[in-house]
Amino acid sequence: MFESAEIGHAVDKATYDAEVPALREALLQAQYRLRSEARFPVLILINGIEGAGKGETIKLLSEWMDPRLIRVESFDTPSDEELAHPAAWRYWRRLPPKGTTGIFFGNWYSKMLQDRVNKRIKGADLALQTLKAQRLERMLCDEGVLIFKFWFHLSKAQMKARLDSLKNDPLHSWRISPLDWQQSKTYDRFVRYAETILRRSSRDFAPWYIIEGADERYRSLAVGRILLRGLQAALDATEQPPAPAQPHTAPLVADIERLSLLDSLDLTQKLDKDSYQHQLIEEQARLSRLLRDRRLRKRGVLALFEGHDAAGKGSAIRRITGALDPRLYRTIQIAAPTEEERAQPWLWRFWRNVPERGKFTIFDRSWYGRVLVERVEGFCSPADWLRAYSEINDFEEHLTDAGIVLVKFWLSIDKQTQLKRFKEREDTPFKRFKITEEDWRNRERWDDYASAVADMVDRTSTEIAPWTLVEANDKRFARVKVLRTLNEALEAAIAEK
Amino acid sequence: MFESAEIGHAVDKATYDAEVPALREALLQAQYRLRSEARFPVLILINGIEGAGKGETIKLLSEWMDPRLIRVESFDTPSDEELAHPAAWRYWRRLPPKGTTGIFFGNWYSKMLQDRVNKRIKGADLALQTLKAQRLERMLCDEGVLIFKFWFHLSKAQMKARLDSLKNDPLHSWRISPLDWQQSKTYDRFVRYAETILRRSSRDFAPWYIIEGADERYRSLAVGRILLRGLQAALDATEQPPAPAQPHTAPLVADIERLSLLDSLDLTQKLDKDSYQHQLIEEQARLSRLLRDRRLRKRGVLALFEGHDAAGKGSAIRRITGALDPRLYRTIQIAAPTEEERAQPWLWRFWRNVPERGKFTIFDRSWYGRVLVERVEGFCSPADWLRAYSEINDFEEHLTDAGIVLVKFWLSIDKQTQLKRFKEREDTPFKRFKITEEDWRNRERWDDYASAVADMVDRTSTEIAPWTLVEANDKRFARVKVLRTLNEALEAAIAEK
């Protein structure tokens, strides 16, 4: 794989000097067009052999282009806030917004490579992590992010020569850390695992570019040209990203006898007032006790609520929070994304609100809006919501991998009950703010929502993050079921170890 | 001061039950009006004696009002990211945006009070910190933040009774931490210092409300009513905040002989090419060496650039970054604030970009836009930019208190030089993006900008954060002066200890 990058590519000074001015100008123009159109961001991953010119190339790009529109992020030791979140959180929080360029120097590839070289992980882990990186990149790319992955290469002999010359240069010798020298000794392992990673993760939507790093002029021109062509092509493309050649247009479920998942719920289930009072207090006390369990301190808890309008999400959430110290939980109400959120991949606004270790976050509506309201109302394309199922499953795997206890509720009522509650709301001054024109409009799409919910549950109720369907015609029954389910999930999590 | 809060206020159940429904409804209405108008946020500070019902009141408010529009923030142990920033950063990052309510449970007052009770700080420090808190609140208030400060009080006897009853209640005994018990022993000290703090920090724009905490119904009604009246009054006020009764309208400087500060610069200073090359490389090497000095690792570095259009800010910045590993610095280009930034006090977008310990941040334009372009173009009112001088000085004191080395540059050119550079830019395809209609418009206001710059320097060049005026007609001279000044500031900082 690295053969072409060990043949001694070089560019003479005259050729270099002749090409650079036009290249710089074109790069700058492209960068300004990128900013003014602000349709997508650029993400550049920098990896490779020590001494192969990674840092120098970034410096050069900062000189050639406008450094104020480029943000270089290096990921060394994670902060304690980063350690308290799922591993990918530190990358998500630094993603470049649309119109700008982010350079990730030290990224998921450097992490997995270092871990493998230093025997902290095994081959199977490396394979799994490479796969996960690929899925992340696929998602970013589908969201319009233009990804460049550069691998700077040197043959073993070239590297030794390069490190020696740096060592003797008083101005640059500080660049060589002990770790780098150590890598020089483990060059073979490093290159072997790198090859595996590159082979597995070079895909049409985010290919690796291997750059021979020995000759500075060659290296600089190569990177500059690749960036320019990639940028220009993306800017000229009318749409980001191209639709798949064969989009799936068949319905997700063969909807033969019109019996939907939601129809199968027994909505007549009830609780009388006395049993309710008794069970509610019992479950609240249990929740308060469980959340203070020391064994949960290393984990986060995330409960999300979706449901029909007027199904009682808000009042169920209040029965949870009513039991708790307000410092222990956060409630996130999902509304329209802000400008900063719209400049990022759609999952970004959920990533930024993921609970840290030891904390409890309640989402009132959630990322499932993508496959519910956005699908039904046509706010995103079918291609977008179709891919969202797997994006959501990946996202939730990140959460559960980090030990987060994830509990998902769909609160279901029937059409008559909704009508009754809408009217009640309109008649009670106290509740009038809760009912809007939009609620009435959504109601007309009842069946479309039912299909969307069925597909959602079929495709995202997984063993790591199952859905709980809550029969909510009777509010008392629903509240107790929510609390009890949450408590059982916490108990199961505590019992895990 | 606490006399009225020890007389045994109580509300009977009938009165309470009669008032609460209307109070709840009105609070909810106000909360929804707050959100829909989104003109200002509400900040509630909760302090007081242990056991006086702080937590219970927050819980109650979350039940009475819509908890999704309230965010409760507790500030216990700072994270390492928070410790790596100026002390106030952790409060700034959690300020509620316009239209929402933030409850700060454990805030600057709890910090200073605990520190004083536990003898970590002396009386003079307490006085100073109370003063600083007041300045912060004054600024927030001027930015439209509606602040409520609640002190929940109990007499010594009431507290002992309360803690005993909690101890015997198996459901609530967990609430009493060892620290709280310890506070029970130090009640006298606690109350004495609290009195000092409250007396000094109760101001018209952010008064303390002292609530007797013994009777739950009294406490709840009192807080609910205060909140409601305050909220309604603020919502009904046509303007936030009221203008001072006696605004200053005299010019800031008696502008008698029209000689401005900028006119006094010797813009003929030059460097020939050879001296420039030599000195540039020398200063760059020095900078690279200084920034790697271990003694700077506990400090941040912040360099900001203001200057005439086309004065060469960008190219001066590139001479700094050219010497550095791109992982060591960040460049922030200040443009129009985003939606999330507009929902916060004006300094918020600068606070979020303050460098952490060991990092170097370069601001290309800065918070001084407030007293330059915003003043000259009328983007904010005279009252706003007049108060900005002291707000900026306070902000910079926060930075330097945290050990940040702050270096401020104004790059100055004369009118003819600017004209020459504007035309050059228009003639060079490579540089055309740099010149806009706006630049030509700004040029017409040359004298207004000159006055604004003179006022800015007069009012914000302080011993902790002096301005450096850079004669920039000759770019070579300017770049070397910038680098040298920065280096000297770093050397001085290193020498400090």
Side-chain angles (χ1 to χ4, degrees):
Chain A
M1 173 162 267
F2 298 120
E3 292 80 356
S4 294
E6 298 188 353
I7 55 178
H9 287 286
V11 167
D12 63 85
K13 188 162 186 307
T15 310
Y16 184 79
D17 289 347
E19 181 165 346
V20 163
L23 181 61
R24 277 183 74 161
E25 187 181 335
L27 276 170
L28 215 45
Q29 300 280 5
Q31 204 187 3
Y32 279 89
R33 205 176 139 199
L34 176 72
R35 178 176 66 169
S36 69
E37 298 181 3
R39 279 189 294 126
F40 60 90
V42 177
L43 180 63
I44 302 176
L45 305 186
I46 300 285
N47 293 77
I49 304 289
E50 282 307 309
K54 291 177 290 191
E56 288 89 336
T57 307
I58 295 175
K59 236 169 103 167
L60 188 81
L61 289 178
S62 303
E63 277 170 44
W64 281 1
M65 298 168 79
D66 189 330
R68 296 166 301 185
L69 294 173
I70 297 177
R71 185 150 166 188
V72 179
E73 300 284 4
S74 62
F75 297 90
D76 353 282
T77 323
S79 74
D80 60 2
E81 291 189 24
E82 289 173 340
L83 288 171
H85 285 93
W89 186 78
R90 61 194 311 232
Y91 303 118
W92 275 89
R93 71 195 298 221
R94 303 196 196 175
L95 283 181
K98 285 174 189 168
T100 70
T101 299
I103 301 182
F104 279 13
F105 196 10
N107 44 53
W108 41 91
Y109 291 114
S110 8
K111 173 90 170 66
M112 65 178 88
L113 184 52
Q114 289 290 353
D115 282 351
R116 184 72 187 106
V117 168
N118 297 314
K119 299 182 187 169
R120 283 190 294 265
I121 59 171
K122 301 207 162 160
D125 298 319
L126 185 67
L128 186 64
Q129 289 192 23
T130 315
L131 203 75
K132 285 188 179 177
Q134 232 181 101
R135 294 179 70 95
L136 173 67
E137 289 167 22
R138 167 87 244 185
M139 182 279 305
L140 291 175
C141 173
D142 282 339
E143 287 290 300
V145 181
L146 182 63
I147 303 175
F148 293 91
K149 301 194 291 201
F150 289 107
W151 179 269
F152 290 85
H153 192 73
L154 288 179
S155 69
K156 200 169 189 173
Q158 284 172 328
M159 189 192 69
K160 284 197 181 298
R162 170 92 174 148
L163 294 184
D164 282 345
S165 82
L166 280 177
K167 201 170 70 173
N168 296 325
D169 176 350
L171 249 179
H172 292 100
S173 59
W174 57 271
R175 289 206 184 142
I176 307 300
S177 67
L179 187 68
D180 305 334
W181 282 109
Q182 189 186 316
Q183 280 179 1
S184 150
K185 286 179 202 148
T186 53
Y187 178 93
D188 293 334
R189 281 175 73 77
F190 195 84
V191 167
R192 173 153 49 97
Y193 296 126
E195 219 246 17
T196 313
I197 292 175
L198 266 64
R199 175 167 44 79
R200 289 195 188 126
S201 63
S202 203
R203 299 289 301 274
D204 55 329
F205 53 85
W208 278 100
Y209 295 100
I210 298 170
I211 309 284
E212 182 171 340
D215 180 72
E216 187 175 341
R217 288 189 293 261
Y218 169 80
R219 188 174 75 205
S220 308
L221 271 194
V223 171
R225 278 193 202 170
I226 289 166
L227 264 187
L228 179 64
R229 298 231 184 116
L231 251 172
Q232 285 178 334
L235 287 165
D236 290 339
T238 43
E239 206 163 86
Q240 280 289 333
Q246 295 290 351
H248 266 268
T249 45
L252 289 184
V253 171
D255 201 2
I256 295 168
E257 27 58 306
R258 306 292 309 159
L259 175 72
S260 92
L261 179 72
L262 295 185
D263 294 332
S264 70
L265 295 176
D266 175 10
L267 295 179
T268 63
Q269 295 178 85
K270 277 179 192 236
L271 263 189
D272 63 68
K273 205 168 175 183
D274 281 351
S275 317
Y276 169 68
Q277 286 296 0
H278 181 256
Q279 293 181 34
L280 180 74
I281 288 174
E282 193 172 88
E283 294 297 341
Q284 284 185 330
R286 186 175 163 206
L287 174 63
S288 156
R289 207 167 49 234
L290 286 168
L291 280 175
R292 279 176 284 113
D293 193 291
R294 309 176 90 254
R295 286 164 289 184
L296 272 186
R297 279 197 206 147
K298 293 208 160 182
R299 310 185 64 159
V301 181
L302 195 160
L304 72 85
F305 289 82
E306 296 284 352
H308 289 117
D309 291 327
K313 292 189 291 295
S315 71
I317 291 171
R318 275 201 300 280
R319 291 322 173 285
I320 290 177
T321 59
L324 305 175
D325 183 323
R327 288 167 288 191
L328 282 182
Y329 66 85
R330 257 183 77 198
T331 311
I332 308 286
Q333 188 176 28
I334 297 303
T338 66
E339 182 186 337
E340 290 183 31
E341 290 168 344
R342 289 193 304 273
Q344 295 283 0
W346 75 274
L347 277 167
W348 189 81
R349 63 195 182 116
F350 307 107
W351 267 104
R352 78 194 295 204
N353 285 311
V354 158
E356 56 182 298
R357 199 170 284 168
K359 296 291 166 89
F360 176 27
T361 301
I362 299 164
F363 277 81
D364 180 1
R365 303 199 187 272
S366 68
W367 44 96
Y368 284 99
R370 188 76 164 181
V371 294
L372 295 171
V373 59
E374 291 188 46
R375 164 184 170 173
V376 172
E377 305 293 336
F379 296 157
C380 66
S381 72
D384 285 338
W385 61 258
L386 277 165
R387 69 179 157 85
Y389 296 113
S390 56
E391 290 166 351
I392 286 172
N393 287 334
D394 286 351
F395 172 52
E396 294 182 352
E397 194 174 330
H398 278 288
L399 303 184
T400 53
D401 278 354
I404 292 175
V405 183
L406 180 55
V407 192
K408 310 189 291 195
F409 295 105
W410 171 267
L411 269 59
S412 219
I413 52 176
D414 60 32
K415 234 177 148 175
Q416 302 92 286
T417 306
Q418 188 184 57
L419 185 64
K420 209 181 84 202
R421 293 193 187 163
F422 276 15
K423 289 196 168 155
E424 230 171 66
R425 288 181 174 187
E426 287 190 327
D427 294 343
T428 318
F430 183 66
K431 292 182 168 174
R432 211 169 289 147
F433 69 91
K434 284 189 177 178
I435 179 98
T436 64
E437 279 303 304
E438 207 187 318
D439 294 322
W440 288 106
R441 272 199 308 278
N442 289 347
R443 188 173 155 78
E444 285 165 26
R445 304 256 194 165
W446 185 273
D447 292 337
D448 295 336
Y449 276 99
S451 306
V453 172
D455 287 341
M456 171 183 86
V457 174
D458 289 347
R459 279 154 202 284
T460 62
S461 200
T462 58
E463 92 273 23
I464 56 165
W467 273 100
T468 299
L469 304 180
V470 180
E471 301 81 354
N473 266 10
D474 181 66
K475 286 197 172 189
R476 295 194 285 249
F477 178 85
R479 291 168 188 170
V480 168
K481 179 164 177 179
V482 162
L483 271 162
R484 186 169 292 144
T485 306
L486 178 58
N487 286 334
E488 283 164 4
L490 294 177
E491 272 177 2
I494 288 170
E496 268 173 37
K497 51 174 185 174
Chain B
M1 174 162 267
F2 298 121
E3 292 78 357
S4 293
E6 299 187 354
I7 55 178
H9 288 286
V11 168
D12 63 85
K13 189 163 185 306
T15 312
Y16 185 78
D17 289 347
E19 180 165 346
V20 164
L23 181 62
R24 277 184 73 161
E25 187 180 334
L27 275 170
L28 214 45
Q29 300 281 5
Q31 204 187 4
Y32 279 88
R33 203 176 141 201
L34 176 71
R35 178 176 66 170
S36 68
E37 297 181 4
R39 280 189 294 126
F40 60 89
V42 177
L43 180 63
I44 302 174
L45 305 185
I46 301 285
N47 293 79
I49 303 290
E50 282 308 309
K54 290 177 290 190
E56 288 89 336
T57 308
I58 294 175
K59 235 169 104 167
L60 188 81
L61 288 178
S62 302
E63 277 170 45
W64 281 1
M65 298 169 79
D66 189 329
R68 297 166 301 187
L69 294 174
I70 297 177
R71 187 151 165 186
V72 179
E73 301 284 3
S74 62
F75 297 90
D76 353 282
T77 324
S79 74
D80 61 0
E81 291 188 26
E82 287 173 341
L83 288 172
H85 284 92
W89 186 78
R90 61 196 310 233
Y91 304 117
W92 275 88
R93 72 196 295 222
R94 304 196 196 176
L95 283 181
K98 285 174 187 166
T100 69
T101 300
I103 301 182
F104 279 13
F105 196 8
N107 45 53
W108 41 91
Y109 290 114
S110 8
K111 173 89 171 66
M112 64 179 87
L113 183 52
Q114 289 290 352
D115 282 351
R116 185 71 186 106
V117 168
N118 297 312
K119 299 182 187 167
R120 283 190 295 264
I121 61 171
K122 301 207 161 159
D125 297 320
L126 185 67
L128 186 64
Q129 289 190 25
T130 315
L131 203 74
K132 285 188 179 179
Q134 232 183 100
R135 294 180 69 94
L136 173 68
E137 289 166 23
R138 168 85 245 184
M139 184 279 306
L140 291 175
C141 172
D142 282 339
E143 286 290 300
V145 181
L146 182 64
I147 303 176
F148 293 91
K149 301 192 290 200
F150 289 108
W151 178 270
F152 290 86
H153 192 73
L154 289 178
S155 69
K156 201 169 188 174
Q158 284 171 330
M159 190 192 69
K160 285 197 179 297
R162 170 93 176 147
L163 294 184
D164 282 344
S165 82
L166 279 176
K167 200 169 72 172
N168 297 325
D169 175 350
L171 250 179
H172 292 100
S173 60
W174 58 270
R175 288 206 186 143
I176 307 301
S177 67
L179 185 68
D180 305 335
W181 283 108
Q182 189 186 315
Q183 280 180 0
S184 149
K185 287 179 203 149
T186 53
Y187 178 92
D188 292 335
R189 279 176 72 77
F190 196 85
V191 167
R192 172 154 49 97
Y193 296 127
E195 219 245 18
T196 313
I197 292 175
L198 265 65
R199 175 168 43 79
R200 288 197 187 126
S201 61
S202 204
R203 299 288 302 274
D204 55 328
F205 53 87
W208 279 100
Y209 296 100
I210 298 171
I211 310 284
E212 182 171 340
D215 181 72
E216 187 174 341
R217 288 189 293 261
Y218 169 80
R219 186 175 75 206
S220 308
L221 270 195
V223 171
R225 278 194 201 167
I226 289 166
L227 263 186
L228 179 64
R229 299 232 183 113
L231 250 171
Q232 285 177 334
L235 287 165
D236 289 340
T238 43
E239 205 162 88
Q240 278 290 331
Q246 295 290 353
H248 264 268
T249 44
L252 290 183
V253 171
D255 202 0
I256 294 168
E257 27 55 307
R258 305 290 311 157
L259 175 72
S260 92
L261 180 71
L262 295 185
D263 294 333
S264 71
L265 295 175
D266 174 9
L267 295 178
T268 63
Q269 295 178 88
K270 276 181 193 234
L271 264 189
D272 63 67
K273 204 168 174 182
D274 281 351
S275 316
Y276 169 67
Q277 285 296 359
H278 182 254
Q279 293 182 32
L280 179 74
I281 289 175
E282 194 173 87
E283 295 295 343
Q284 284 185 328
R286 185 176 163 207
L287 174 63
S288 155
R289 208 167 47 234
L290 286 167
L291 281 175
R292 277 176 287 111
D293 193 292
R294 309 175 90 255
R295 285 162 291 182
L296 271 187
R297 280 198 205 145
K298 294 209 161 181
R299 310 184 63 159
V301 181
L302 195 160
L304 72 83
F305 289 82
E306 296 284 351
H308 289 117
D309 292 327
K313 291 188 293 294
S315 72
I317 290 172
R318 276 200 300 281
R319 292 319 174 287
I320 290 177
T321 60
L324 304 175
D325 184 322
R327 286 167 290 190
L328 283 182
Y329 67 86
R330 258 183 77 198
T331 312
I332 307 286
Q333 188 177 25
I334 297 302
T338 65
E339 182 185 339
E340 291 184 28
E341 289 168 344
R342 289 193 304 273
Q344 295 282 1
W346 75 275
L347 276 168
W348 190 80
R349 63 194 182 116
F350 306 106
W351 266 105
R352 78 194 295 206
N353 285 311
V354 157
E356 56 182 298
R357 199 170 283 169
K359 296 291 166 89
F360 176 27
T361 301
I362 300 163
F363 278 80
D364 180 2
R365 304 199 186 272
S366 69
W367 45 95
Y368 285 99
R370 187 77 164 181
V371 295
L372 295 170
V373 58
E374 291 187 47
R375 164 185 170 173
V376 172
E377 305 292 336
F379 296 156
C380 67
S381 72
D384 286 338
W385 62 258
L386 277 165
R387 69 178 155 87
Y389 296 113
S390 57
E391 289 166 351
I392 287 172
N393 287 334
D394 286 350
F395 172 51
E396 294 182 352
E397 194 174 331
H398 278 290
L399 303 184
T400 53
D401 277 354
I404 292 175
V405 183
L406 180 55
V407 193
K408 310 189 290 195
F409 295 105
W410 171 268
L411 269 60
S412 218
I413 52 177
D414 60 31
K415 232 177 151 177
Q416 302 91 289
T417 305
Q418 188 185 58
L419 185 65
K420 212 182 82 201
R421 292 193 186 162
F422 276 15
K423 290 196 168 158
E424 231 170 65
R425 287 181 173 186
E426 287 190 325
D427 294 342
T428 318
F430 185 65
K431 293 181 169 175
R432 210 169 290 147
F433 69 89
K434 285 188 176 177
I435 178 98
T436 63
E437 279 302 305
E438 205 187 319
D439 294 322
W440 288 105
R441 270 199 309 278
N442 290 346
R443 189 173 155 78
E444 286 166 26
R445 305 253 193 165
W446 185 274
D447 292 338
D448 295 336
Y449 276 99
S451 306
V453 172
D455 288 340
M456 170 182 87
V457 174
D458 288 347
R459 279 154 203 283
T460 62
S461 202
T462 57
E463 93 273 22
I464 57 163
W467 273 100
T468 300
L469 304 180
V470 180
E471 302 81 355
N473 267 10
D474 181 66
K475 286 198 171 189
R476 294 194 286 248
F477 178 85
R479 291 167 188 170
V480 168
K481 179 165 177 179
V482 162
L483 271 162
R484 187 169 292 145
T485 307
L486 178 57
N487 286 333
E488 282 164 3
L490 294 177
E491 272 176 2
I494 288 170
E496 269 172 38
K497 53 173 184 174

